[in-house]
């Protein structure tokens, strides 16, 4: 089965000239159901080909009721419209957002902010699909490449005839399929200026080579550990938030007990006492990760590590989700100068 066709979504400024009179009527014709762990983007991409749509905007129109995907319903989000048009058969709004979009990853970093995403006018259709790239605050604005595991895709083709994108594989920082212990590979999409979105289902032959950062034994091992941490903290929202909070709390407690923080809160200068050793330890930990493009912004020297760890400790500055995940992974394996682990400290 050929699942590698590609289509572009309509130009965002294009007028929805043939919008139906009733945006909330059911999707006409057959609709494919979810596959295990499938993302919303993947479901719509598969439906696009299954339903034989030629124009990408026809798929948007089928599931969101307008060619642009925009909700014209008072007090209804685009995802509410999607739920109405699928008769609730594919899940309720929160269920779809939390189980089928990257909100599942980002919700543990949002501290209640995710509730506002259920308010009308907060998300456009393309930001739901690419969520949360188009989030209004832009706080998590980042690249989200589509990634797949060759073993998963080969099995899909063999067993179900559909190759699909797994949501968990799309999580930022996750580059190993834990089921097959194999590096994930990116499929490159290069939208042109007027083409903001692309429907594409995965295929093994379209996968780019494995990043050299993950290819070796040591790299695979480090990225595997990170993937395990990401899957663990994202599987349950409350537990994930607690885990991240406790890791930071224990680190702060240790720094305070050791006299590494100033009374006003910030970390003491990198060039004094053992804070410098901690920064060096962090730089060494992220060395392998930094070979991967997604992790390039991580600190390359002790001074940069000092800045990042200071932001992490003071609790008032923005620390990006991927930075928090990597710091948490570093803390997990850190042996403190007193020979103890960070987990020997109370919160
Ligand atoms: Zn796999």
């Amino acid at each position: 089965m050929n699942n590698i066709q590609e289509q572009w979504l309509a130009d965002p400024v294009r007028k929805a000239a043939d919008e139906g009179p009733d945006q909330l009527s059911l999707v006409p014709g057959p609709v494919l159901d979810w596959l295990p762990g499938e993302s919303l983007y993947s479901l719509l991409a598969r439906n696009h080909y299954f339903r034989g749509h030629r124009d990408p905007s026809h798929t948007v129109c089928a599931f969101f009721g307008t060619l642009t995907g925009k909700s014209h319903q008072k007090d209804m989000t685009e995802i509410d419209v999607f739920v109405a048009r699928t008769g609730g058969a594919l899940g309720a709004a929160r269920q779809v957002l939390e189980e089928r979009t990257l909100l599942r990853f980002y919700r543990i970093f949002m501290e209640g902010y995710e509730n506002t995403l259920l308010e009308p006018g907060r998300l456009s259709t393309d930001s739901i699909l690419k969520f949360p790239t188009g989030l209004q605050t832009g706080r998590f604005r980042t690249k989200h490449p589509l990634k797949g595991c060759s073993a998963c895709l080969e099995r899909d083709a063999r067993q179900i005839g559909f190759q699909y994108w797994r949501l968990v594989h799309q999580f930022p920082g996750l580059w190993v399929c834990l089921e097959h212990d194999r590096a994930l590979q990116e499929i490159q999409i290069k939208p042109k200026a007027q083409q903001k979105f692309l429907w594409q289902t995965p295929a093994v032959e379209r996968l780019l080579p494995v990043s050299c950062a993950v290819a070796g034994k040591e790299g695979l091992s480090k990225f595997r550990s990170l993937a395990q941490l990401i899957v663990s903290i994202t599987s349950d929202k409350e537990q994930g938030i607690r885990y991240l909070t406790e890791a930071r709390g224990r680190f702060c407690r240790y720094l305070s007990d050791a006299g590494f923080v100033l009374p006003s809160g910030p970390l003491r200068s990198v060039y004094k006492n053992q804070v410098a050793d901690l920064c060096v330890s962090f730089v060494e930990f992220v060395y392998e990760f930094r070979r991967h493009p997604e992790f390039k912004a991580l600190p390359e020297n002790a001074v940069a590590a000092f800045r990042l760890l200071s932001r992490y400790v003071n609790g008032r500055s923005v620390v990006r989700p991927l930075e928090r995940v990597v710091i948490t992974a570093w803390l997990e394996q850190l042996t403190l100068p007193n020979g103890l682990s960070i987990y020997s400290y109370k919160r």
Side-chain angles (χ1 to χ4, degrees):
M1 169 162 217
N2 181 8
N3 282 322
I4 60 169
Q5 305 166 64
E6 43 189 67
Q7 294 280 341
W8 296 102
L9 264 185
D11 182 325
V13 297
R14 181 175 162 183
K15 287 288 175 200
D18 59 344
E19 285 166 13
D22 185 1
Q23 191 178 17
L24 301 182
S25 56
L26 289 173
V27 179
V31 173
L32 293 175
D33 201 353
W34 300 112
L35 291 172
E38 185 175 31
S39 71
L40 176 60
Y41 171 84
S42 177
L43 177 85
L44 294 175
R46 283 197 304 115
N47 271 285
H48 179 71
Y49 299 117
F50 177 73
R51 294 166 59 85
H53 290 163
R54 281 172 168 262
D55 189 326
S57 62
H58 292 166
T59 300
V60 175
C61 194
F63 286 88
F64 297 94
T66 60
L67 287 172
T68 57
K70 190 169 170 48
S71 168
H72 293 167
Q73 308 300 312
K74 195 171 180 291
D75 301 328
M76 285 183 84
T77 65
E78 280 70 18
I79 206 77
D80 289 332
V81 172
F82 171 84
V83 170
R85 288 186 65 83
T86 50
L90 296 174
R94 179 175 283 276
Q95 203 179 355
V96 173
L97 277 173
E98 292 206 353
E99 294 179 12
R100 305 295 179 174
T101 78
L102 287 177
L103 179 61
R104 188 168 187 86
F105 174 87
Y106 284 102
R107 62 184 179 171
I108 58 173
F109 305 99
M110 296 178 82
E111 294 156 3
Y113 179 77
E114 76 277 11
N115 290 326
T116 63
L117 297 174
L118 297 174
E119 295 170 9
R122 286 286 179 172
L123 287 171
S124 63
T125 310
D126 62 306
S127 64
I128 291 168
L129 296 174
K130 293 190 288 184
F131 180 86
T133 315
L135 210 58
Q136 283 179 340
T137 62
R139 60 189 292 202
F140 296 142
R141 201 171 290 273
T142 182
K143 187 173 172 253
H144 291 111
L146 284 165
K147 297 175 279 181
C149 160
S150 56
C152 284
L153 297 180
E154 280 162 4
R155 188 182 57 194
D156 291 346
R158 208 171 46 245
Q159 294 185 353
I160 53 180
F162 277 117
Q163 295 170 97
Y164 70 101
W165 303 108
R166 284 145 175 85
L167 177 66
V168 70
H169 288 174
Q170 313 313 319
F171 287 169
L174 195 142
W175 285 93
V176 174
C177 170
L178 294 176
E179 187 180 349
H180 295 106
D181 197 29
R182 190 177 288 204
L184 297 181
Q185 291 164 265
E186 193 175 331
I187 289 186
Q188 210 162 34
I189 296 176
K190 293 179 178 173
K192 295 171 187 169
Q194 298 300 312
Q195 300 168 319
K196 66 173 184 171
F197 217 74
L198 176 71
W199 292 126
Q200 186 168 310
T201 50
V204 174
E205 56 271 27
R206 294 288 298 274
L207 294 170
L208 295 177
V210 171
S211 163
C212 61
V214 198
K217 201 175 172 185
E218 195 175 339
L220 182 66
S221 166
K222 289 204 79 161
F223 278 88
R224 182 196 303 121
S225 299
L226 194 68
Q228 286 166 338
L229 173 64
I230 292 171
V231 168
S232 161
I233 59 179
T234 52
S235 58
D236 182 279
K237 181 181 158 191
E238 304 307 329
Q239 283 180 21
I241 292 172
R242 198 179 316 127
Y243 191 85
L244 290 173
T245 305
E246 287 187 3
R248 180 181 168 277
R250 289 172 199 276
F251 186 47
C252 290
R253 174 69 186 270
Y254 161 70
L255 293 171
S256 174
D257 288 355
F260 290 171
V261 282
L262 296 171
S264 56
L267 212 53
R268 286 185 191 275
S269 168
V270 65
Y271 297 110
K272 295 175 186 168
N273 59 50
Q274 290 155 311
V275 172
D277 293 338
L278 282 175
C279 295
V280 169
S281 160
F282 186 71
V283 172
E284 288 171 354
F285 179 76
V286 301
Y287 178 79
E288 290 282 341
F289 290 118
R290 288 194 71 257
R291 296 174 63 212
H292 194 288
E294 191 180 0
F295 296 77
K296 244 183 187 163
L298 286 172
E300 61 177 331
N301 56 46
V303 175
F306 177 75
R307 280 195 222 106
L308 173 57
L309 293 177
S310 294
R311 279 196 281 126
Y312 178 71
V313 169
N314 77 32
R316 296 184 296 276
S317 308
V318 174
V319 178
R320 293 188 301 124
L322 192 56
E323 292 172 335
R324 280 191 74 181
V325 168
V326 172
I327 293 172
T328 305
W330 168 65
L331 291 174
E332 276 190 342
Q333 53 82 60
L334 182 65
T335 301
L336 300 167
N338 59 13
L340 298 174
S341 129
I342 204 72
Y343 291 94
S344 59
Y345 281 81
K346 291 177 184 168
R347 264 196 313 143

